[in-house]
Amino acid sequence: KITMRSITFLLLFVYTSINGGEPMGLPPWYCAPSKEAILLSAVSYNESRHGTISVTKQSIKEGAVGVLQIREGMVDYLNSINGYRKYTYADRNDPVKSREMFMEFQTRHDPDFDIDYGCHIWNGGQNNVRKRWHLTNRYRKEAWEYINRTTR
C-alpha cells in the first residue's frame, strides 16, 4: 500500500542517497507541519478520529457534533467574543467552519499552540486550568500518542 508517508520517506531517502549517504539537510520542498496543524490534527483525531459525522452516546448527551465535537456553548462564546453572530450551530457540522472556530479559540487562549495546554482547554475548558489539569490527563496522553505515531 502506497501512502503519502512512504512516498515522503522514499523521496528523502533518494535525496540523501544522491550525496553518497551524507546528510544534506532537508530538501527545499519539505515543509514540517506547524504547531497549529499538529494540535488541530491531534484534537480532531481525539474527538472524532477525523470523521465529520461522529456520534456517540457521550456526544449526544453533551450536544457535541462535528469533526471537533463542538458544543453550542462554544459557538455562543465565540460569537460573544466577536460581537456579532459569526457562527451558527449548523457550522459545527462543517469541517472548514469547525477548524476556523478551533483556530479562533486556540489563538485567543493558547497563542503559542502548546500541545498540552491546547488539548486541555479544548477538552476541559479555559477556566481553573490548574485545578482541573488532572481531568484531561488521558486526553492529552492520547493526543501525544497520536502525534508520536504520525510525525516520526
Side-chain angles (χ1 to χ4, degrees):
K1 180 178 172 184
I2 297 175
T3 64
M4 185 58 103
R5 190 175 184 179
S6 62
I7 291 170
T8 302
F9 174 76
L10 179 64
L11 290 172
L12 283 171
F13 177 76
V14 169
Y15 185 78
T16 306
S17 299
I18 292 170
N19 196 31
E22 291 296 315
M24 302 186 308
L26 290 173
W29 48 262
Y30 178 78
C31 183
S34 66
K35 292 188 327 186
E36 295 90 338
I38 292 170
L39 177 60
L40 174 61
S41 185
V43 169
S44 175
Y45 181 80
N46 260 4
E47 294 291 352
S48 67
R49 302 300 186 251
H50 302 302
T52 55
I53 302 173
S54 180
V55 179
T56 63
K57 288 180 183 178
Q58 180 87 7
S59 67
I60 291 171
K61 178 182 166 190
E62 295 176 355
V65 299
V67 69
L68 292 168
Q69 293 295 288
I70 298 174
R71 299 182 184 112
E72 290 179 356
M74 177 63 74
V75 175
D76 295 339
Y77 174 71
L78 292 172
N79 285 337
S80 71
I81 289 171
N82 288 309
Y84 65 98
R85 191 171 167 86
K86 183 175 181 179
Y87 303 108
T88 66
Y89 295 148
D91 289 340
R92 300 176 300 158
N93 290 307
D94 178 350
V96 174
K97 284 289 198 176
S98 291
R99 288 177 179 96
E100 186 180 317
M101 286 188 261
F102 176 83
M103 294 305 289
E104 188 170 323
F105 179 80
Q106 290 293 333
T107 301
R108 181 174 181 85
H109 295 287
D110 180 25
D112 295 329
F113 287 89
D114 177 78
I115 303 296
D116 283 315
Y117 189 72
C119 285
H120 174 79
I121 62 174
W122 188 256
N123 183 251
Q126 72 273 19
N127 298 323
N128 298 319
V129 171
R130 289 185 184 190
K131 290 181 183 177
R132 299 170 53 99
W133 191 254
H134 68 283
L135 299 175
T136 61
N137 284 343
R138 191 171 117 214
Y139 189 90
R140 289 181 283 114
K141 181 181 178 212
E142 289 173 4
W144 277 110
E145 288 171 357
Y146 170 78
I147 290 166
N148 290 333
R149 239 186 359 259
T150 58
T151 59
R152 284 185 204 162

